[in-house]
């Protein structure tokens, strides 16, 4: 029986190791755990929809169960797919607001300073807490007046044709609306090593839509993205993302949960760190680091990065910088899981799950924390007070841009 | 010595579905009733079949009388045994190898027997049941379903007891007390304690299926049974939610039945010697045949894990004075031995099918009542079994468990409305799971141990589905054994029972031990032999 068999849940031999790795089970007794919610529950659900268990919503979809499974059972896919097939609760306003990351971003952008101010006011948070079940302890990431797309078009787009080869950049919602600096850092890195960047006519990868039960919308986005990627791939461009969750979703959740075929583009969807490492490793690209950049960095491996198995690339890249002192944090879920931690009913679990990670960071007291996922960033920043940066941002900062340009025939506009 | 043996109006020998149904019917008609079974209930053919709730369509062409009985009982069971029945409907599929003309003959025969048979477009059949072979050229929809034979048998026992019947399992009849031309009672041994027992009964009913041959011989009469073995395979999950049949003359492996969390393909049909009935095994040739034919109905079976293999013996009866067995009937055989052999107080009820057990019980009880000169009408066709009361399940969902957990839902599926009367969290940990695959809780296990004549883990499996899931006892054996030992206040029992249960499960796995099934069995062996030290040969 292959891993892709439609009956892969039967590969479960009840060793129960997934249960030990589930971050939710230890903090929320209402969640039946990956084995029962996944392969065990599936047999009952196949009998009748009546056996669908609404507590499946407590699954973070962190995929740690799948990483731990010695039998190749796609446990979290089974759980998410069950939610898709059987949960007919209509998503409420709160879930829609949290899910539609791109729509909300576009709506908020023209009024960004006002929106940021208003949603951070205590009384407003209180109202959102009471009326919408959005946890008042949370602070929304700040929207920017000028999104990455606009910055790219004015500052970088005009000279991208000068490069002999290109990548297609999947920027993702958080780069577009909240953290354009990650996108800028990516473009600077690529340009410095002599690679041009093209933007895609992308839609949100859909991860937040899936988490909030907007399956149809997620499927539409997936189909759109796969189509756009095919065009890029046909033109010889790899699709490079900076958010590990976007990359993971588009590679694995499209076929595994949404049943959208991405076979023709899957291998071309990659992450900035993996792409860059492979360029360096194959000798096509040289990185020259600043002598005056010293930083003690704590690297948190996001759950989806664990699932992708790609954290090795980030570690290797960061360690190339001679004055970076890198500490890889113990493998723990931060508890945020996208929009999960924003919800009032999940907030205490979200904090309890992340506690070991927060405590380790505090005890290490690094200069900066580094991770590839924006929602881990929000959680860690809010819960520890430490700054969290995408590795791309750190690399762009640590790099001697001029020397790197010279070594690769690159060019970066000042 | 003064004879102090308890006296009953009727003693029923055999705790299969026929005996259980007869005990219920007799008790409901007010007879002082005793049921004696040498093993556990539902151990013979009752627990070793497809669990198909026949619409009768399968017999429509070849055996119209049986077909008509089936559809009548089908409609009754859907009412009185709701919690044992899954009203899935069924398809009769014509494959390219089959003659499409047979479909016309089939539909006509169904109509003649009063069975609704609707020819549907093959495309519609594929849509309604995605597992069907896409190559089908014809499809007919009939009111087939599935029925859980263990649950049905147990429900009849429960209701018989609620109506005052006494039930003794693990009690073997060793002698019938015959005085002159009358059977007056039975002598038996309690197999667990070794105690010798004696019961007086005004009428003795032989409801032992294929083993009725032996009981009849104890009375000095002959009931010629012709054992026909049928082998079946259980798959680890449901691939179909509609019963799939081949639209052709009944043959090997042409029915795939979804039953609870699994599905079952069968059967074969081969004469076996009477002596073999207690020691059946499934051969590699039978496994190949079942898989090969099964895949023709539902190709996905090729990629589906086979959980276990088992075989049962149909209690076929030869017509009187037909030692060759050529005229074997699958209809109900109810023999008044007074009329046939001049032996008073002895009745044999056999033949028939799981599907027609209630009618068999009614006929047998009618005969008992005539002998006792009691004129009481049968009510089993209209009185729901415990758990299947009208609106009962809905009431539990409304009043007791408005937001049921998965375990509570699973229990509702098994026990019907009786689930609501289970002690809620009788003690701390009552909602903990014993069996994870089938979602059986500690409180469900404890209730079964207390009320349902459970003496071994295998008995417990028949009442609750403990150990019937994909792990085949890997996780639940030790937990269930602990509950059993606790109930019996005998710690040593935990070890012997866990071991016996794992061995029993393994016997059913052996014929299909490959792939994931073998992998899981090996893991189980490692846990029980190496970690728990239950392998005495180590």
């Amino acid at each position: 029986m292959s891993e892709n068999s439609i009956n892969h849940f039967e590969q479960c031999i009840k060793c129960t190791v997934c249960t030990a790795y589930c971050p939710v089970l230890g903090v929320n007794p209402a969640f039946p755990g990956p084995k029962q919610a996944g392969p065990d529950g599936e047999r009952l659900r196949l009998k009748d929809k009546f056996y669908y268990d609404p507590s499946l919503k407590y699954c973070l979809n962190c995929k740690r169960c799948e990483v731990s499974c010695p039998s190749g059972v796609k446990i979290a896919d089974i759980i998410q797919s069950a939610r898709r097939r059987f949960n007919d609760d209509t998503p409420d306003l709160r879930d829609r607001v949290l899910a539609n990351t791109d729509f909300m971003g576009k709506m908020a952008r023209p009024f960004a300073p006002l929106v940021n101010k208003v949603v951070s006011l205590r009384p407003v948070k209180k109202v959102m807490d009471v009326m919408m079940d959005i946890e008042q302890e949370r602070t929304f990431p700040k929207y920017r007046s000028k999104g990455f797309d606009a910055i790219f078009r004015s500052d970088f787009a005009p000279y991208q044709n000068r490069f002999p080869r290109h990548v297609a950049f999947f920027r993702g919602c958080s780069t577009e609306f909240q953290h354009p600096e990650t996108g800028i850092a990516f473009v600077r890195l690529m340009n410095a090593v002599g690679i041009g960047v093209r933007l895609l006519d992308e839609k949100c990868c859909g991860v937040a839509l899936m988490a909030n039960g907007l399956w149809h919308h997620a499927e539409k986005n997936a189909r759109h993205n796969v189509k756009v990627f095919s065009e890029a791939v046909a033109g010889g461009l790899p699709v490079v993302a900076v958010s590990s969750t976007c990359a993971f979703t588009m590679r694995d959740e499209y076929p595994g949960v949404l049943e959208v075929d991405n076979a023709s583009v899957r291998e071309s969807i990659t992450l900035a760190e993996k792409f860059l490492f492979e360029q360096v490793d194959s000798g096509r690209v040289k990185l020259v680091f600043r002598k005056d950049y010293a930083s003690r960095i704590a690297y948190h491996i996001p759950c989806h990065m664990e699932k992708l198995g790609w954290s090795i690339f980030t570690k290797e890249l960061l360690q190339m910088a001679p004055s970076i002192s890198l500490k890889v944090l113990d493998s723990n879920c931060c508890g945020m899981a996208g929009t999960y931690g924003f919800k009032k009913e999940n907030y205490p679990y979200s904090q309890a799950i992340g506690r070991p990670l927060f405590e380790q960071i505090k005890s290490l007291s690094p200069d900066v924390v580094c991770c590839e996922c924006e929602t881990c960033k929000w959680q860690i920043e809010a819960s520890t007070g430490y700054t969290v940066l995408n590795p791309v941002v750190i690399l762009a900062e640590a790099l001697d841009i001029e020397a790197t340009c010279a070594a690769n025939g690159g060019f970066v506009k000042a | 010595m003064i004879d102090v043996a308890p006296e009953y109006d009727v003693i029923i020998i055999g705790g299969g579905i026929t005996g259980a149904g007869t005990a219920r019917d007799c008790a409901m008609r007010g007879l002082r009733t005793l049921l004696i079974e040498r093993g556990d209930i539902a151990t013979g053919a009752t627990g070793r079949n497809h669990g198909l709730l026949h619409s009768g369509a399968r017999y429509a062409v070849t055996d119209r009388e049986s077909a008509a009985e089936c559809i009548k009982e089908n409609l009754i069971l859907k009412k009185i045994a709701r919690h044992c029945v899954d009203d899935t409907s069924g398809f009769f599929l014509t494959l390219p190898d089959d003659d499409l003309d047979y479909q016309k003959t089939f539909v006509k025969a169904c109509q003649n027997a009063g069975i609704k048979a609707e020819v549907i477009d093959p495309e519609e059949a594929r849509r309604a049941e995605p597992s069907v072979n896409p190559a089908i050229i014809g499809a007919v929809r009939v009111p087939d379903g599935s029925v859980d034979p263990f649950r049905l048998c147990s429900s009849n026992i429960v209701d018989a007891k609620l109506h005052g019947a006494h039930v003794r399992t693990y009690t073997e009849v060793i002698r019938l007390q015959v005085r002159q031309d009358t059977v007056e009672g039975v002598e038996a041994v309690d197999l667990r304690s070794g105690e010798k027992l004696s019961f007086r009964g005004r009428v003795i009913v032989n409801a032992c299926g294929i083993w009725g041959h032996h009981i009849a011989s104890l009375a000095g009469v002959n009931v010629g049974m012709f054992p026909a073995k049928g082998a079946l395979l259980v798959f680890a999950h449901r691939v179909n939610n509609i019963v799939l049949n081949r639209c052709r003359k009944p043959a090997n492996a042409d029915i795939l039945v979804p039953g609870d969390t699994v599905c079952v393909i069968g059967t074969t049909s081969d004469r076996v010697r009477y002596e073999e009935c207690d020691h059946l095994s499934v051969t590699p040739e039978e496994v190949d045949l079942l898989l090969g034919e099964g895949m023709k109905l539902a190709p996905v079976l090729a990629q589906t894990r086979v959980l276990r293999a088992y075989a049962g013996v149909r209690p076929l009866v030869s017509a009187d004075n037909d030692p060759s067995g050529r005229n074997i009937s699958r209809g109900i055989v109810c023999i008044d031995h007074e009329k046939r052999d001049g032996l008073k107080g002895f009745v044999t009820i056999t033949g028939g099918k799981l599907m027609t057990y209630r009618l068999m019980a009614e006929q047998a009880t009618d005969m008992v009542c005539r002998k006792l000169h009691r004129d009481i009408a049968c009510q089993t066709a209209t009185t729901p079994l415990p758990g299947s009361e009208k609106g009962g399940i809905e009431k539990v969902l409304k009043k007791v468990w408005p937001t049921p957990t998965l375990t509570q839902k699973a229990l509702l599926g098994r026990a019907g409305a009786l689930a609501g009367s289970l002690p809620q969290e009788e003690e701390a940990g009552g909602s903990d799971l014993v069996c994870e695959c089938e979602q059986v809780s500690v409180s469900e296990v404890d209730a079964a141990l207390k009320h349902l004549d459970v003496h071994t883990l295998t008995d417990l499996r028949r009442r609750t589905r403990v150990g019937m899931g994909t792990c085949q006892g890997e996780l639940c054996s030790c937990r269930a054994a602990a509950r059993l030992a606790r109930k019996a206040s005998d710690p040593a029992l935990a070890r012997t029972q866990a071991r016996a249960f794992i061995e029993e499960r393994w016997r059913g796995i052996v014929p299909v031990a490959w792939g994931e099934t073998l992998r899981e069995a090996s893991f189980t062996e490692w846990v029980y032999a190496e970690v728990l030290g239950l392998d005495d040969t180590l």
Side-chain angles (χ1 to χ4, degrees), chain A residues 91-107:
Chain A
D92 59 14
L93 177 66
R94 190 264 319 257
D95 291 356
R96 287 177 190 278
V97 166
L98 293 175
N100 283 281
T101 49
D102 51 354
F103 178 77
M104 291 309 292
K106 278 183 200 138
M107 289 287 110

PDB file of all heavy atoms in Angstrom, chain A residues 91-107:
ATOM      1  N   PRO A  91     -19.511  29.162   8.597  1.00  0.00           N
ATOM      2  CA  PRO A  91     -18.549  30.011   9.314  1.00  0.00           C
ATOM      3  C   PRO A  91     -19.211  31.330   9.698  1.00  0.00           C
ATOM      4  O   PRO A  91     -19.946  31.916   8.913  1.00  0.00           O
ATOM      5  CB  PRO A  91     -17.443  30.240   8.274  1.00  0.00           C
ATOM      6  CG  PRO A  91     -17.598  29.150   7.269  1.00  0.00           C
ATOM      7  CD  PRO A  91     -19.047  28.804   7.250  1.00  0.00           C
ATOM      8  N   ASP A  92     -18.977  31.775  10.935  1.00  0.00           N
ATOM      9  CA  ASP A  92     -19.604  33.022  11.374  1.00  0.00           C
ATOM     10  C   ASP A  92     -18.757  34.219  10.956  1.00  0.00           C
ATOM     11  O   ASP A  92     -17.712  34.075  10.312  1.00  0.00           O
ATOM     12  CB  ASP A  92     -19.831  32.989  12.893  1.00  0.00           C
ATOM     13  CG  ASP A  92     -18.543  32.791  13.663  1.00  0.00           C
ATOM     14  OD1 ASP A  92     -17.457  32.946  13.059  1.00  0.00           O
ATOM     15  OD2 ASP A  92     -18.620  32.472  14.858  1.00  0.00           O
ATOM     16  N   LEU A  93     -19.211  35.416  11.339  1.00  0.00           N
ATOM     17  CA  LEU A  93     -18.542  36.648  10.917  1.00  0.00           C
ATOM     18  C   LEU A  93     -17.080  36.644  11.356  1.00  0.00           C
ATOM     19  O   LEU A  93     -16.176  36.968  10.592  1.00  0.00           O
ATOM     20  CB  LEU A  93     -19.279  37.868  11.501  1.00  0.00           C
ATOM     21  CG  LEU A  93     -18.619  39.208  11.180  1.00  0.00           C
ATOM     22  CD1 LEU A  93     -18.680  39.499   9.684  1.00  0.00           C
ATOM     23  CD2 LEU A  93     -19.272  40.337  11.968  1.00  0.00           C
ATOM     24  N   ARG A  94     -16.860  36.235  12.630  1.00  0.00           N
ATOM     25  CA  ARG A  94     -15.495  36.219  13.151  1.00  0.00           C
ATOM     26  C   ARG A  94     -14.594  35.362  12.265  1.00  0.00           C
ATOM     27  O   ARG A  94     -13.508  35.789  11.853  1.00  0.00           O
ATOM     28  CB  ARG A  94     -15.536  35.646  14.584  1.00  0.00           C
ATOM     29  CG  ARG A  94     -14.283  35.748  15.397  1.00  0.00           C
ATOM     30  CD  ARG A  94     -13.370  34.512  15.401  1.00  0.00           C
ATOM     31  NE  ARG A  94     -13.969  33.212  15.483  1.00  0.00           N
ATOM     32  CZ  ARG A  94     -14.016  32.452  16.578  1.00  0.00           C
ATOM     33  NH1 ARG A  94     -13.584  32.922  17.730  1.00  0.00           N
ATOM     34  NH2 ARG A  94     -14.506  31.232  16.518  1.00  0.00           N
ATOM     35  N   ASP A  95     -15.069  34.141  11.965  1.00  0.00           N
ATOM     36  CA  ASP A  95     -14.237  33.244  11.176  1.00  0.00           C
ATOM     37  C   ASP A  95     -13.989  33.809   9.774  1.00  0.00           C
ATOM     38  O   ASP A  95     -12.909  33.658   9.213  1.00  0.00           O
ATOM     39  CB  ASP A  95     -14.888  31.857  11.092  1.00  0.00           C
ATOM     40  CG  ASP A  95     -14.871  31.157  12.453  1.00  0.00           C
ATOM     41  OD1 ASP A  95     -14.281  31.732  13.398  1.00  0.00           O
ATOM     42  OD2 ASP A  95     -15.452  30.062  12.561  1.00  0.00           O
ATOM     43  N   ARG A  96     -15.014  34.457   9.229  1.00  0.00           N
ATOM     44  CA  ARG A  96     -14.848  35.039   7.890  1.00  0.00           C
ATOM     45  C   ARG A  96     -13.831  36.174   7.901  1.00  0.00           C
ATOM     46  O   ARG A  96     -13.029  36.328   6.981  1.00  0.00           O
ATOM     47  CB  ARG A  96     -16.186  35.542   7.350  1.00  0.00           C
ATOM     48  CG  ARG A  96     -17.097  34.402   6.940  1.00  0.00           C
ATOM     49  CD  ARG A  96     -18.450  34.913   6.463  1.00  0.00           C
ATOM     50  NE  ARG A  96     -19.364  33.792   6.314  1.00  0.00           N
ATOM     51  CZ  ARG A  96     -19.393  33.011   5.230  1.00  0.00           C
ATOM     52  NH1 ARG A  96     -18.600  33.258   4.206  1.00  0.00           N
ATOM     53  NH2 ARG A  96     -20.219  31.991   5.177  1.00  0.00           N
ATOM     54  N   VAL A  97     -13.889  36.978   8.955  1.00  0.00           N
ATOM     55  CA  VAL A  97     -12.950  38.097   9.078  1.00  0.00           C
ATOM     56  C   VAL A  97     -11.522  37.560   9.174  1.00  0.00           C
ATOM     57  O   VAL A  97     -10.610  38.015   8.490  1.00  0.00           O
ATOM     58  CB  VAL A  97     -13.289  38.954  10.329  1.00  0.00           C
ATOM     59  CG1 VAL A  97     -12.130  39.891  10.665  1.00  0.00           C
ATOM     60  CG2 VAL A  97     -14.560  39.759  10.080  1.00  0.00           C
ATOM     61  N   LEU A  98     -11.342  36.527  10.008  1.00  0.00           N
ATOM     62  CA  LEU A  98      -9.999  35.979  10.186  1.00  0.00           C
ATOM     63  C   LEU A  98      -9.515  35.245   8.943  1.00  0.00           C
ATOM     64  O   LEU A  98      -8.329  35.261   8.623  1.00  0.00           O
ATOM     65  CB  LEU A  98      -9.974  35.032  11.391  1.00  0.00           C
ATOM     66  CG  LEU A  98     -10.183  35.679  12.767  1.00  0.00           C
ATOM     67  CD1 LEU A  98     -10.261  34.601  13.839  1.00  0.00           C
ATOM     68  CD2 LEU A  98      -9.079  36.672  13.095  1.00  0.00           C
ATOM     69  N   ALA A  99     -10.461  34.613   8.244  1.00  0.00           N
ATOM     70  CA  ALA A  99     -10.087  33.760   7.111  1.00  0.00           C
ATOM     71  C   ALA A  99      -9.686  34.559   5.885  1.00  0.00           C
ATOM     72  O   ALA A  99      -8.761  34.201   5.167  1.00  0.00           O
ATOM     73  CB  ALA A  99     -11.237  32.826   6.762  1.00  0.00           C
ATOM     74  N   ASN A 100     -10.400  35.657   5.640  1.00  0.00           N
ATOM     75  CA  ASN A 100     -10.189  36.394   4.389  1.00  0.00           C
ATOM     76  C   ASN A 100      -9.031  37.381   4.537  1.00  0.00           C
ATOM     77  O   ASN A 100      -9.216  38.590   4.508  1.00  0.00           O
ATOM     78  CB  ASN A 100     -11.468  37.104   3.976  1.00  0.00           C
ATOM     79  CG  ASN A 100     -12.455  36.122   3.360  1.00  0.00           C
ATOM     80  OD1 ASN A 100     -12.330  35.758   2.202  1.00  0.00           O
ATOM     81  ND2 ASN A 100     -13.411  35.670   4.160  1.00  0.00           N
ATOM     82  N   THR A 101      -7.836  36.823   4.669  1.00  0.00           N
ATOM     83  CA  THR A 101      -6.673  37.665   4.939  1.00  0.00           C
ATOM     84  C   THR A 101      -6.433  38.680   3.829  1.00  0.00           C
ATOM     85  O   THR A 101      -6.061  39.816   4.097  1.00  0.00           O
ATOM     86  CB  THR A 101      -5.428  36.781   5.106  1.00  0.00           C
ATOM     87  OG1 THR A 101      -5.390  35.886   4.013  1.00  0.00           O
ATOM     88  CG2 THR A 101      -5.496  36.004   6.399  1.00  0.00           C
ATOM     89  N   ASP A 102      -6.652  38.289   2.584  1.00  0.00           N
ATOM     90  CA  ASP A 102      -6.364  39.228   1.496  1.00  0.00           C
ATOM     91  C   ASP A 102      -7.459  40.281   1.363  1.00  0.00           C
ATOM     92  O   ASP A 102      -7.185  41.470   1.212  1.00  0.00           O
ATOM     93  CB  ASP A 102      -6.114  38.496   0.172  1.00  0.00           C
ATOM     94  CG  ASP A 102      -7.194  37.493  -0.171  1.00  0.00           C
ATOM     95  OD1 ASP A 102      -8.105  37.258   0.675  1.00  0.00           O
ATOM     96  OD2 ASP A 102      -7.139  36.922  -1.272  1.00  0.00           O
ATOM     97  N   PHE A 103      -8.705  39.857   1.492  1.00  0.00           N
ATOM     98  CA  PHE A 103      -9.824  40.810   1.406  1.00  0.00           C
ATOM     99  C   PHE A 103      -9.741  41.845   2.533  1.00  0.00           C
ATOM    100  O   PHE A 103      -9.834  43.051   2.307  1.00  0.00           O
ATOM    101  CB  PHE A 103     -11.146  40.050   1.474  1.00  0.00           C
ATOM    102  CG  PHE A 103     -12.362  40.950   1.446  1.00  0.00           C
ATOM    103  CD1 PHE A 103     -12.792  41.522   0.256  1.00  0.00           C
ATOM    104  CD2 PHE A 103     -13.050  41.238   2.620  1.00  0.00           C
ATOM    105  CE1 PHE A 103     -13.898  42.354   0.231  1.00  0.00           C
ATOM    106  CE2 PHE A 103     -14.162  42.073   2.602  1.00  0.00           C
ATOM    107  CZ  PHE A 103     -14.590  42.631   1.413  1.00  0.00           C
ATOM    108  N   MET A 104      -9.505  41.347   3.758  1.00  0.00           N
ATOM    109  CA  MET A 104      -9.420  42.261   4.891  1.00  0.00           C
ATOM    110  C   MET A 104      -8.246  43.224   4.717  1.00  0.00           C
ATOM    111  O   MET A 104      -8.336  44.403   5.035  1.00  0.00           O
ATOM    112  CB  MET A 104      -9.262  41.480   6.204  1.00  0.00           C
ATOM    113  CG  MET A 104     -10.494  40.687   6.619  1.00  0.00           C
ATOM    114  SD  MET A 104     -12.018  41.649   6.641  1.00  0.00           S
ATOM    115  CE  MET A 104     -11.670  42.748   8.021  1.00  0.00           C
ATOM    116  N   GLY A 105      -7.148  42.703   4.185  1.00  0.00           N
ATOM    117  CA  GLY A 105      -5.974  43.541   3.956  1.00  0.00           C
ATOM    118  C   GLY A 105      -6.277  44.674   2.980  1.00  0.00           C
ATOM    119  O   GLY A 105      -5.932  45.830   3.209  1.00  0.00           O
ATOM    120  N   LYS A 106      -6.973  44.309   1.902  1.00  0.00           N
ATOM    121  CA  LYS A 106      -7.296  45.323   0.879  1.00  0.00           C
ATOM    122  C   LYS A 106      -8.250  46.373   1.449  1.00  0.00           C
ATOM    123  O   LYS A 106      -8.143  47.558   1.148  1.00  0.00           O
ATOM    124  CB  LYS A 106      -7.916  44.650  -0.345  1.00  0.00           C
ATOM    125  CG  LYS A 106      -6.863  44.073  -1.258  1.00  0.00           C
ATOM    126  CD  LYS A 106      -7.501  43.462  -2.505  1.00  0.00           C
ATOM    127  CE  LYS A 106      -6.529  42.470  -3.138  1.00  0.00           C
ATOM    128  NZ  LYS A 106      -7.176  41.259  -3.589  1.00  0.00           N
ATOM    129  N   MET A 107      -9.194  45.901   2.260  1.00  0.00           N
ATOM    130  CA  MET A 107     -10.178  46.826   2.838  1.00  0.00           C
ATOM    131  C   MET A 107      -9.505  47.772   3.837  1.00  0.00           C
ATOM    132  O   MET A 107      -9.811  48.961   3.901  1.00  0.00           O
ATOM    133  CB  MET A 107     -11.267  46.033   3.586  1.00  0.00           C
ATOM    134  CG  MET A 107     -12.199  45.271   2.682  1.00  0.00           C
ATOM    135  SD  MET A 107     -13.313  46.400   1.862  1.00  0.00           S
ATOM    136  CE  MET A 107     -12.763  46.340   0.232  1.00  0.00           C
TER     137      MET A 107
END
